[in-house]
Amino acid sequence: MVRRCMSCMKEYTVPQGYEQVRLCCPHCGYLEGTPPKEANHLYPGMVLQDRYEIGIVVGFGGFGIIYKAWDRQLDIVVAIKEYYPSGMVTREPGQKNVIVYEGDRKKDYYEGLGRFLEEARTTAQFDHSEYIVQVKNFFQENNTAYIVMEYLNGISLKDYMKMSGKMKVKDALQVTDAVVEALKEMHAAGILHRDIGPGNIFIYGRQIKVIDFGLARLSDTEKELTRSVALTPGYAPPEQYQNKSKQGPWTDIYALAATLYTMVTGQKPEESSDRQMEDLQQDAKDVNPEIPEDLSNAIMKGMAVNPELRFRTVEDFSEAIHGKKKVDTPKEELGKRKRRRLISIAAVILVLLTGVAFIGLHYRRQWKDTHLSAATLKVWVPYEDDHTAEEAKNRFVGTQDMAGVTKSFHDNFPQIVLEVEYIPRSQYGERLKSAAASGSLPAVYCMDGVDPSLLDQAEDLGTVYDALAAENYYYLDDYRKQGDPRQIPMGLDVPIIYAGDGTGYDYTQLSLTDYPSLQQEPATGYYMVPEDYSMLINTMGGSFRYTDKLEMDQKAKDMISDLLTYETASSGEGGETKSIADTDAAGQAFAEGKITYFLGSYKDQERFDRIASERAYRHYAVPGQTIYAEFCDYWCISKSAAEDEDVKKAAEKLLEMMMEPYGQQAMHNSGSYREALPINKDAFKTFVESETSLDFLNGYMDHLTFLYRDREAENGKARQLQSDVVVDRKKTVEQWLEE
């Protein structure tokens, strides 16, 4: 009989007659059956996923436990990290299931669980890296989650330095070079580690790897985002102490420079938050005279409290620490900037003295451009049938509490008469068609959900696009280049998963990277809104495309087929399946617990709130490396109205104002309206700050991609596919596609 030691993971032979006896491993001396030092840790010998045999604990902290384990499938030693945040959970000795404390801590636990799985997804992107720990698998079990990683038989830089003290410059640079290579890969993928430090750099043999991606986030070099404050004191830059800050590669550079400082001086740097008040940090060469001045200057520049004074890329930092680039210390750089600023001020004064006449002329021209002659502007605004015309008017005109578009327009241009008509969506398309046929289209109208041929009677909007600063809008410049210049999108729609809450099921299962998580028990299935098939299926790794016909890969076909399977399973005995055949019925089935997941988009939220109000739910990001989104809320100016130059200018100015932050807020997010996400960045920022349940959308916005196609025709095909295959069930997906 052969046993495996749960400490060294080596096999040994059990002598005959000793099969029921606890033995010591002949290789390492570990006594079989020894319980863990902490009673709430998993016991050696327990098995996860019928695959991973748990061994001894090799480390634990406030948020997790790391076990040595044996992978029965691959016959290798692995490390398994278990999500186990102290103070939020407990576990009975000898049991596997985690018990979550009730109250506020329960919510915090599941939010943390989502971040834990996000760590796994982030790290898994770099599974072929020589410098980043490899994630081999991750899964949920026992009311918690696990990350399976390669087992590194070595020591952290933190523990190494406890034994050795400061390091030789040559050795410290070798460690730094490895971390630089890891950060190059991460930053190229748009990801920040945000916790580089001695504790997260692992040395084994002659190799060095970066570990622990628990604080990793998407880079946001151009804007400020709100984040939770989590950091390692001494190695975190000042921006990580703020809930709201711009972070980029320079954030990781500070941490790496501080780590290098520790390696060559033997001293941990002062906390950056203290340095902001009074910077008393000694230069590295003043602590250790053996450090070359060029290297010391590079380290201190990397550790600059002001992010603007740091290196912008790890490549620049690497060149500087190896003497390929001369740099000044932050103090020297500030001195030079001060001298340059004085020279610049003198130059500006000279320009001001000689440019007064030009500035006056500029403002006279600007006034002339924005001055509008008296005109009457007809505008048609569609509204959903379950709203009222008065609600639509309040949104577009404005109320006492919030100024809408037309109220603001009238305040600025009282000489323009706006005649706004509010039309139910069910009548809107036909009204536009009739107006187009009779040559009486309004000056400004919305193109959403109507016959695309109506664009033939729309004016080119180049003047409107030119008036807008593209950098203030999400992907507007992309649409202008690839979309139709006769319309302008004023909103975005993105995929969202709505998951039931309060039933005892762990809905953070959705954080897995593939749609099979939607099939696992005790989930009872899912529903996809047909109009959102394209966004959802493509984001989750399938291919769902429309040119002149629908084209989809096997994964897309499987997802449509699974809708059939789970609708059947969720309808109970008797086989009646039409009860969740449309979106309203699906919302009701969700409310009754017949289905677990409702897959849709942002624009479905208001409708979903209404039909599924009997059941609490949470929003989740759709798992995927690339987020497929859609432009929406398209507006046009009719050619017939544009024949009058005064009307044309007034219409262009109205569209410009509809793109302003206040216009976007009023149109998309006032009252109960949830028709689109603002395309204006300032309006979007205000919206997300007020809707904390949707803060994951921040992570979406820099990673969107769009399919430029005939969306109305595609949606029609998708609805027909659902009707023929999912509802009537007379054909398979393959049969439907062949026909």
Side-chain angles (χ1 to χ4, degrees):
M1 177 180 178
V2 176
R3 289 180 185 169
R4 186 173 302 282
C5 173
M6 293 294 98
S7 178
C8 67
M9 294 297 163
K10 294 179 180 178
E11 290 184 332
Y12 61 91
T13 302
V14 178
Q16 189 173 0
Y18 285 83
E19 291 84 358
Q20 305 302 319
V21 179
R22 294 170 57 196
L23 300 176
C24 289
C25 173
H27 304 292
C28 69
Y30 174 77
L31 177 62
E32 184 183 28
T34 301
K37 292 181 180 179
E38 300 290 333
N40 55 3
H41 292 175
L42 293 177
Y43 278 46
M46 288 181 168
V47 179
L48 303 177
Q49 293 274 292
D50 294 323
R51 174 177 175 178
Y52 302 105
E53 198 168 354
I54 293 296
I56 61 172
V57 171
V58 294
F60 64 93
F63 289 95
I65 308 164
I66 301 178
Y67 305 91
K68 194 174 186 179
W70 181 256
D71 184 341
R72 292 173 173 176
Q73 183 173 315
L74 299 179
D75 284 337
I76 58 172
V77 181
V78 294
I80 296 184
K81 184 175 180 180
E82 179 183 46
Y83 176 62
Y84 193 94
S86 59
M88 298 184 192
V89 295
T90 187
R91 175 161 45 206
E92 294 182 9
Q95 301 298 311
K96 290 195 286 188
N97 200 56
V98 168
I99 302 169
V100 184
Y101 294 143
E102 294 296 329
D104 293 340
R105 285 177 291 185
K106 187 171 185 177
K107 178 183 177 183
D108 294 340
Y109 174 80
Y110 285 113
E111 288 178 352
L113 184 56
R115 291 192 295 270
F116 181 84
L117 289 166
E118 181 67 27
E119 172 189 352
R121 285 200 305 277
T122 300
T123 316
Q125 296 182 45
F126 308 103
D127 58 343
H128 299 299
S129 173
E130 182 183 345
Y131 304 100
I132 298 171
V133 64
Q134 293 179 9
V135 165
K136 298 181 176 296
N137 192 10
F138 55 99
F139 55 90
Q140 289 183 254
E141 195 173 300
N142 307 326
N143 199 30
T144 186
Y146 302 87
I147 303 175
V148 182
M149 301 172 287
E150 63 176 322
Y151 180 73
L152 304 178
N153 189 13
I155 188 173
S156 70
L157 176 62
K158 180 179 180 180
D159 290 337
Y160 176 84
M161 293 193 65
K162 285 180 181 178
M163 298 185 297
S164 65
K166 68 181 178 184
M167 299 167 62
K168 294 179 180 178
V169 169
K170 178 183 70 173
D171 295 335
L173 288 176
Q174 182 182 352
V175 173
T176 305
D177 288 343
V179 181
V180 164
E181 293 302 316
L183 291 177
K184 282 181 183 178
E185 296 178 44
M186 294 180 61
H187 293 173
I191 293 171
L192 306 178
H193 188 280
R194 298 177 71 241
D195 200 17
I196 294 294
N200 289 331
I201 299 170
F202 211 84
I203 303 168
Y204 67 111
R206 295 187 175 182
Q207 287 189 282
I208 297 159
K209 288 202 173 188
V210 173
I211 64 173
D212 199 339
F213 280 57
L215 299 184
R217 295 291 184 271
L218 296 174
S219 177
D220 48 283
T221 59
E222 299 299 327
K223 61 181 181 294
E224 294 184 356
L225 290 182
T226 302
R227 302 179 184 78
S228 58
V229 176
L231 47 81
T232 300
Y235 301 99
E239 58 265 29
Q240 278 189 250
Y241 284 81
Q242 303 166 21
N243 283 319
K244 195 173 181 182
S245 64
K246 290 181 181 178
Q247 295 182 23
W250 54 85
T251 303
D252 284 337
I253 289 171
Y254 183 102
L256 181 54
T259 301
L260 179 54
Y261 184 99
T262 301
M263 286 191 282
V264 295
T265 66
Q267 294 183 9
K268 182 178 177 180
E270 298 291 329
E271 285 200 51
S272 59
S273 56
D274 294 336
R275 293 179 61 201
Q276 280 187 303
M277 304 297 293
E278 183 178 10
D279 193 356
L280 300 177
Q281 184 69 55
Q282 287 182 283
D283 287 359
K285 63 181 175 58
D286 294 336
V287 179
N288 179 5
E290 296 179 5
I291 300 172
E293 183 174 1
D294 288 348
L295 175 59
S296 177
N297 288 352
I299 292 172
M300 301 316 294
K301 180 176 176 66
M303 288 173 58
V305 174
N306 182 349
E308 299 297 325
L309 298 179
R310 287 181 226 146
F311 300 98
R312 309 316 286 171
T313 68
V314 287
E315 290 86 351
D316 289 342
F317 176 66
S318 180
E319 287 185 4
I321 63 176
H322 286 288
K324 297 178 182 178
K325 173 186 291 190
K326 298 289 183 182
V327 298
D328 296 318
T329 65
K331 293 177 183 177
E332 292 169 339
E333 176 64 22
L334 283 172
K336 288 182 178 180
R337 289 190 179 192
K338 185 176 181 180
R339 290 191 292 273
R340 287 196 296 267
R341 189 160 57 248
L342 290 173
I343 294 172
S344 298
I345 290 172
V348 169
I349 291 173
L350 179 62
V351 171
L352 288 174
L353 291 174
T354 57
V356 172
F358 170 80
I359 294 171
L361 178 62
H362 167 76
Y363 278 108
R364 284 196 297 275
R365 286 176 178 171
Q366 187 181 54
W367 179 86
K368 183 177 180 180
D369 289 340
T370 58
H371 177 71
L372 302 179
S373 300
T376 298
L377 204 60
K378 291 186 177 182
V379 182
W380 282 9
V381 179
Y383 66 90
E384 299 303 324
D385 291 71
D386 45 17
H387 283 283
T388 66
E390 189 62 29
E391 287 175 310
K393 181 178 180 181
N394 288 341
R395 174 177 64 119
F396 207 74
V397 175
T399 64
Q400 187 174 1
D401 298 324
M402 176 182 288
V405 177
T406 54
K407 183 176 186 301
S408 299
F409 187 84
H410 181 267
D411 289 344
N412 283 275
F413 305 105
Q415 71 275 28
I416 305 298
V417 177
L418 287 180
E419 294 183 354
V420 184
E421 185 175 355
Y422 305 93
I423 304 170
R425 183 74 69 180
S426 58
Q427 304 172 22
Y428 184 72
E430 289 302 319
R431 286 282 305 276
L432 272 183
K433 275 188 179 180
S434 298
S438 63
S440 58
L441 278 171
V444 177
Y445 57 95
C446 179
M447 274 294 296
D448 272 18
V450 301
D451 186 346
S453 65
L454 288 171
L455 272 176
D456 294 339
Q457 300 194 41
E459 181 75 6
D460 186 284
L461 297 181
T463 304
V464 177
Y465 280 102
D466 289 341
L468 301 172
E471 64 271 16
N472 294 335
Y473 300 88
Y474 286 114
Y475 302 97
L476 184 63
D477 200 40
D478 291 348
Y479 181 81
R480 184 179 188 183
K481 293 173 182 175
Q482 300 184 62
D484 195 308
R486 297 169 296 178
Q487 61 183 0
I488 186 166
M490 297 196 179
L492 298 171
D493 193 22
V494 297
I496 291 178
I497 295 180
Y498 304 86
D501 196 10
T503 63
Y505 178 54
D506 178 7
Y507 294 103
T508 52
Q509 189 82 6
L510 287 169
S511 294
L512 295 175
T513 57
D514 209 349
Y515 91 93
S517 63
L518 305 177
Q519 304 165 294
Q520 296 177 9
E521 293 296 338
T524 55
Y526 61 93
Y527 173 85
M528 277 196 296
V529 177
E531 291 83 356
D532 300 327
Y533 279 178
S534 180
M535 285 191 289
L536 291 161
I537 293 174
N538 287 305
T539 297
M540 287 190 277
S543 178
F544 187 94
R545 301 285 194 275
Y546 178 82
T547 49
D548 56 340
K549 63 178 181 178
L550 280 183
E551 299 175 354
M552 60 184 85
D553 65 1
Q554 189 58 49
K555 186 168 184 177
K557 295 174 186 176
D558 289 344
M559 293 190 73
I560 302 297
S561 298
D562 287 337
L563 282 170
L564 168 71
T565 301
Y566 279 102
E567 286 191 345
T568 301
S570 65
S571 33
E573 297 181 3
E576 175 60 43
T577 58
K578 293 187 178 181
S579 60
I580 53 173
D582 60 40
T583 301
D584 281 354
Q588 186 57 41
F590 181 94
E592 295 170 1
K594 292 179 180 177
I595 56 174
T596 305
Y597 306 116
F598 184 100
L599 280 66
S601 69
Y602 175 76
K603 74 175 184 296
D604 299 315
Q605 178 169 322
E606 182 195 345
R607 185 179 183 186
F608 183 76
D609 280 341
R610 186 181 66 256
I611 58 182
S613 59
E614 298 172 28
R615 184 181 183 189
Y617 70 89
R618 299 182 189 180
H619 306 89
Y620 288 92
V622 177
Q625 299 298 322
T626 302
I627 309 300
Y628 284 80
E630 292 181 347
F631 294 102
C632 58
D633 197 25
Y634 294 98
W635 288 79
C636 301
I637 296 174
S638 64
K639 283 183 178 179
S640 55
E643 292 174 359
D644 185 322
E645 191 65 22
D646 292 334
V647 172
K648 178 184 177 182
K649 285 186 177 181
E652 289 171 344
K653 188 57 62 178
L654 177 62
L655 293 184
E656 288 175 35
M657 295 186 72
M658 289 166 69
M659 292 289 277
E660 290 295 316
Y662 65 85
Q664 293 264 291
Q665 284 284 93
M667 291 171 61
H668 297 315
N669 299 303
S670 63
S672 61
Y673 271 85
R674 293 290 185 271
E675 292 184 349
L677 289 171
I679 197 171
N680 179 282
K681 291 181 178 180
D682 287 338
F684 176 84
K685 178 180 175 182
T686 301
F687 162 69
V688 173
E689 286 177 350
S690 66
E691 295 281 348
T692 56
S693 65
L694 294 169
D695 58 2
F696 65 83
L697 293 176
N698 278 318
Y700 269 7
M701 301 313 288
D702 290 330
H703 298 272
L704 301 183
T705 192
F706 300 86
L707 297 174
Y708 295 89
R709 80 282 191 211
D710 185 342
R711 190 176 65 172
E712 292 306 314
E714 179 187 287
N715 287 346
K717 292 291 186 183
R719 287 190 292 267
Q720 190 62 45
L721 170 63
Q722 186 207 38
S723 174
D724 294 346
V725 175
V726 179
V727 180
D728 292 341
R729 306 180 186 283
K730 296 177 181 178
K731 306 170 186 175
T732 65
V733 177
E734 288 79 5
Q735 290 171 337
W736 188 87
L737 288 172
E738 287 177 5
E739 294 177 7

